[in-house]
Amino acid sequence: MQGGSRTKSNILETASLWALLPNFEGYDENVNHHDFVEVYHQGRRIKIMLITRGRRMTVPQIVIKNNARNKLSVLGGRHQGGNCDEIRYGLEYYHSDFNHQDSVYLYREKNNPKVYIRCPEDPRIPYPGCQLLWDYNDEVAIQASFSVKYLPQWREIWLNIQQLLDGEIDCCPTESKTIATSNEGQTQKKASNYVITQQKIAQVLTRNLTG
């Protein structure tokens, strides 16, 4: 787990988890240090951010916004009526009307927006990534970032995140330590326990995120 942001009252508002796709591997210095640390672009890494509800709108709230440029909506521009361009990977695909604006993929359950994914289509971006937005429950929202090459596997990623948070996946080391990483010449610190157990998640959600 990598630390998140806190309020002035020292209450944790966000917490970030890291793993490697496609199987949500945890950090092992002897096995996957290169993929976690030395690859400067997204690579196989997935970052999963847990966010308190007050910090982000729900997925349905995002979808109903009308202004695509300012509100990141799929219903702005020519999509005001909500008609998608096509179906890709089992998702509604909405190509942006605006130059270099992220296009959007949307998954619905019983016509209710469930999973919202935005991906850049700007050819100037050498290693594009996607952001998956999902509401884990009424109190906690999820934002997951990963390479666009894994977009066809979005459903497996989504289900694995859910299983991880529900405690059905346990893939983290018990020892916590920091390692130095380099990103464009700047040294940063990341925790070695990139993904956490059900017990630790429960502590983060109940003690910190929900206050």
Side-chain angles (χ1 to χ4, degrees):
M1 174 179 156
Q2 184 183 19
S5 63
R6 295 178 179 270
T7 66
K8 292 182 179 179
S9 301
N10 203 34
I11 295 176
L12 191 65
E13 291 185 312
T14 66
S16 298
L17 320 176
W18 296 81
L20 292 181
L21 296 172
N23 299 319
F24 278 58
E25 298 172 35
Y27 176 77
D28 186 323
E29 184 176 6
N30 298 318
V31 176
N32 52 31
H33 178 85
H34 175 81
D35 287 327
F36 263 111
V37 177
E38 298 179 9
V39 177
Y40 73 91
H41 53 84
Q42 194 82 42
R44 295 176 56 207
R45 288 191 300 265
I46 179 171
K47 178 181 180 180
I48 306 165
M49 181 178 292
L50 287 70
I51 310 169
T52 52
R53 171 57 54 218
R55 297 267 301 189
R56 205 203 74 193
M57 294 183 293
T58 66
V59 169
Q61 287 172 336
I62 293 173
V63 169
I64 63 174
K65 291 296 182 180
N66 293 326
N67 188 320
R69 182 182 292 276
N70 295 323
K71 302 298 183 181
L72 299 176
S73 171
V74 299
L75 302 182
R78 70 175 183 276
H79 299 306
Q80 190 67 39
N83 297 318
C84 64
D85 291 279
E86 60 183 271
I87 300 297
R88 293 185 182 179
Y89 318 121
L91 297 163
E92 298 175 9
Y93 167 69
Y94 298 85
H95 178 72
S96 175
D97 291 331
F98 305 107
N99 291 333
H100 309 312
Q101 181 79 10
D102 292 354
S103 290
V104 166
Y105 298 81
L106 184 65
Y107 172 69
R108 302 177 190 262
E109 284 188 353
K110 298 180 180 179
N111 204 37
N112 296 316
K114 188 76 171 180
V115 178
Y116 177 103
I117 304 174
R118 56 177 180 251
C119 306
E121 296 188 354
D122 187 343
R124 298 174 299 180
I125 301 176
Y127 301 102
C130 295
Q131 282 192 338
L132 181 152
L133 308 180
W134 167 56
D135 301 313
Y136 177 60
N137 56 32
D138 291 339
E139 300 294 334
V140 179
I142 300 299
Q143 177 178 301
S145 302
F146 52 88
S147 170
V148 71
K149 74 177 183 179
Y150 290 105
L151 179 60
Q153 298 170 248
W154 72 271
R155 188 181 295 273
E156 289 81 3
I157 291 172
W158 173 45
L159 292 176
N160 277 335
I161 293 173
Q162 183 171 345
Q163 291 173 359
L164 174 65
L165 298 181
D166 288 345
E168 298 176 21
I169 296 178
D170 184 4
C171 52
C172 75
T174 57
E175 180 182 1
S176 177
K177 62 181 180 180
T178 59
I179 52 177
T181 66
S182 179
N183 184 9
E184 296 180 355
Q186 296 181 350
T187 300
Q188 301 176 340
K189 295 288 186 179
K190 291 185 180 179
S192 65
N193 53 334
Y194 288 90
V195 285
I196 56 180
T197 61
Q198 181 182 18
Q199 180 180 6
K200 290 182 181 178
I201 285 176
Q203 292 173 352
V204 171
L205 296 181
T206 59
R207 296 182 184 179
N208 292 321
L209 288 178
T210 63

